[in-house]
């Protein structure tokens, strides 16, 4: 296997930064990383994380996922548009936005902005690189999705919708891509503890809820937000943990279409597959949220214990 050039989007922080740094520091030196971000003024944390690999196995470039011309300019800046060297090209689409809260309190413009990044950003990037991959009969499209792309969650309506769109896009494209020897993988993290997530929840704490009814506002503030904090404390992964699993997916000879990074979250997503009618997961999440909070807390405590035990192995 030769050195592979990997283009990663959304590298100013969080998962994108961790993935880019991990690939660049690969002990076997299997990767040349093109780490991109919308605002190059935010490159400091990535440069620090890259360390000695900066400008050796990692270069930083500007790319705005919301701009076709920016994507094209970035790809065209690579030698012969080659983001592969001797083996297959890899792109890791990670750029994204978050949104939580009652639907009535969110503007349509904000929803469009989220979809423009989370879904259309992916579509723009793939549209640009897919013809090159087809010509070379090789490639790997790796997309940072979410478990919320397979199972919706209360007060994550719009964010989950964007990830469902990503999942449908990739699942449909994967069939055609396979004909050209192009692999497609959806990486599906559960809760990940990043500054990005912390900012989303900080904004939610002070969110203007005057646009919704008092009961919904109370559910959001007194049930959802405290539950979310407990979920992150019990099940949350670090960006580095997600990055490590992403590297394994990239180096897999037969990479899966979907890969959940957090085994402790699998029972929650498994409910959907257990009942095609949708009644089982809907009823289970309703009861966990509104009726059996003690069971929910006990389950989280058990999962937290399993996580600690697993971490010591």
């Amino acid at each position: 296997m030769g050195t592979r050039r990997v283009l990663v989007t959304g590298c100013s922080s969080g998962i994108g930064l961790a993935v880019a740094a991990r690939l660049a520091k690969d002990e076997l030196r299997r990767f040349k990383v093109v780490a991109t971000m919308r605002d190059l003024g935010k490159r400091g944390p990535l440069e620090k994380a890259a360390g000695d690999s900066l400008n050796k196995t990692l270069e930083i470039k500007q790319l705005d996922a919301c701009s076709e011309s920016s994507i094209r300019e970035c790809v065209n800046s690579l030698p012969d548009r080659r983001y592969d060297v001797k083996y297959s090209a890899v792109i890791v689409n990670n750029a994204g936005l978050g949104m939580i809260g009652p639907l009535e309190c969110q503007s349509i413009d904000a929803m469009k902005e989220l979809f423009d990044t989370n879904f259309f950003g992916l579509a723009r990037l793939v549209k640009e690189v897919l013809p090159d991959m087809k010509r070379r009969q090789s490639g790997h499209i790796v997309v940072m999705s979410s478990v919320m792309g397979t199972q919706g969650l209360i007060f994550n309506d719009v964010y989950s919708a964007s990830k469902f769109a990503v999942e449908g896009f990739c699942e449909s494209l994967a069939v055609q891509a396979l004909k050209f020897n192009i692999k497609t993988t959806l990486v599906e993290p559960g809760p990940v503890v990043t500054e990005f997530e912390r900012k989303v929840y900080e904004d939610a704490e002070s969110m203007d809820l005057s646009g919704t009814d008092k009961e919904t506002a109370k559910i959001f503030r007194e049930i959802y937000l405290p539950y979310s904090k407990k979920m992150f404390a019990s099940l949350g992964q670090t960006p580095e943990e997600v990055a490590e699993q992403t590297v394994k997916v990239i180096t897999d000879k037969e990479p899966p279409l979907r890969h959940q990074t957090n085994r402790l979250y699998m029972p929650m997503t498994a409910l959907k597959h257990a009942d095609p009618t949708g009644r089982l997961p809907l009823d289970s999440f309703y009861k966990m949220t509104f009726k059996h909070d003690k069971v929910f807390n006990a389950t989280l405590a058990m999962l937290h214990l399993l996580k600690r035990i697993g971490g010591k192995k």
Side-chain angles (χ1 to χ4, degrees):
M1 182 186 296
T3 303
R4 282 184 278 178
R5 193 175 297 278
V6 186
L7 190 152
V8 187
T9 67
C11 296
S12 61
S13 64
I15 295 173
L17 185 155
V19 169
R22 170 63 181 82
L23 289 168
K25 291 181 174 181
D26 181 58
E27 292 182 357
L28 300 177
R29 300 180 71 83
R30 291 171 290 183
F31 310 103
K32 292 282 189 179
V33 182
V34 180
T36 72
M37 60 188 68
R38 179 181 300 183
D39 182 2
L40 289 178
K42 297 181 178 180
R43 61 191 292 163
L46 176 58
E47 290 180 332
K48 182 178 180 180
D52 293 339
S53 67
L54 184 64
N55 298 323
K56 294 177 183 176
T57 54
L58 182 144
E59 60 179 321
I60 302 173
K61 288 184 175 289
Q62 195 273 341
L63 184 150
D64 181 355
C66 295
S67 167
E68 286 185 74
S69 61
S70 174
I71 292 171
R72 187 170 300 115
E73 183 178 347
C74 179
V75 174
N76 284 342
S77 72
L78 302 176
D80 193 28
R81 285 177 58 97
R82 293 183 68 86
Y83 36 93
D84 64 318
V85 182
K86 297 179 181 178
Y87 196 61
S88 61
V90 182
I91 63 167
V92 180
N93 186 88
N94 170 74
L97 297 176
M99 178 182 288
I100 58 174
L103 184 65
E104 308 95 306
C105 302
Q106 297 166 338
S107 71
I108 295 296
D109 284 343
M111 296 180 199
K112 288 181 178 179
E113 181 183 2
L114 181 139
F115 263 82
D116 197 28
T117 299
N118 292 10
F119 174 71
F120 288 106
L122 166 64
R124 291 185 189 100
L125 180 60
V126 173
K127 182 173 180 285
E128 182 64 30
V129 303
L130 188 61
D132 292 336
M133 288 184 169
K134 284 182 174 180
R135 280 192 293 271
R136 294 175 185 135
Q137 295 277 307
S138 68
H140 192 179
I141 299 168
V142 181
V143 180
M144 204 57 62
S145 181
S146 168
V147 291
M148 277 188 275
T150 61
Q151 174 64 61
L153 186 66
I154 185 173
F155 293 123
N156 282 265
D157 323 280
V158 180
Y159 177 77
S160 185
S162 74
K163 292 301 183 179
F164 265 71
V166 163
E167 294 268 334
F169 175 85
C170 291
E171 187 172 292
S172 299
L173 184 68
V175 178
Q176 176 203 155
L178 200 56
K179 178 67 175 174
F180 294 88
N181 195 36
I182 301 167
K183 306 298 192 298
T184 307
T185 300
L186 288 150
V187 179
E188 299 170 337
V192 182
V193 182
T194 66
E195 287 299 323
F196 170 82
E197 294 289 351
R198 277 191 278 267
K199 183 66 167 59
V200 169
Y201 281 92
E202 280 178 11
D203 291 345
E205 296 273 0
S206 58
M207 187 177 186
D208 179 9
L209 299 177
S210 61
T212 191
D213 58 276
K214 291 183 178 179
E215 184 174 3
T216 299
K218 183 177 180 181
I219 292 169
F220 180 64
R221 283 207 171 117
E222 297 183 15
I223 297 179
Y224 172 76
L225 287 178
Y227 272 22
S228 292
K229 289 180 180 178
K230 291 176 182 177
M231 286 282 286
F232 272 81
S234 300
L235 302 179
Q237 291 182 296
T238 65
E240 289 73 24
E241 288 174 317
V242 176
E244 194 62 41
Q245 295 209 34
T246 303
V247 172
K248 290 180 181 179
V249 165
I250 291 173
T251 55
D252 194 336
K253 290 183 179 179
E254 295 295 333
L257 174 62
R258 288 187 171 88
H259 176 74
Q260 285 191 24
T261 67
N262 195 331
R263 295 184 64 83
L264 295 180
Y265 211 90
M266 288 181 181
M268 298 184 188
T269 55
L271 290 172
K272 187 166 187 174
H273 300 289
D275 179 10
T277 71
R279 291 174 182 169
L280 177 60
L282 185 63
D283 185 57
S284 298
F285 279 101
Y286 179 84
K287 288 179 178 177
M288 279 195 297
T289 303
F290 297 114
K291 293 187 176 182
H292 302 313
D293 59 311
K294 291 183 179 179
V295 174
F296 177 78
N297 289 329
T299 301
L300 285 183
M302 180 185 70
L303 291 174
H304 183 57
L305 179 60
L306 289 174
K307 181 183 176 185
R308 291 180 61 188
I309 293 173
K312 292 178 180 178
K313 291 182 180 180

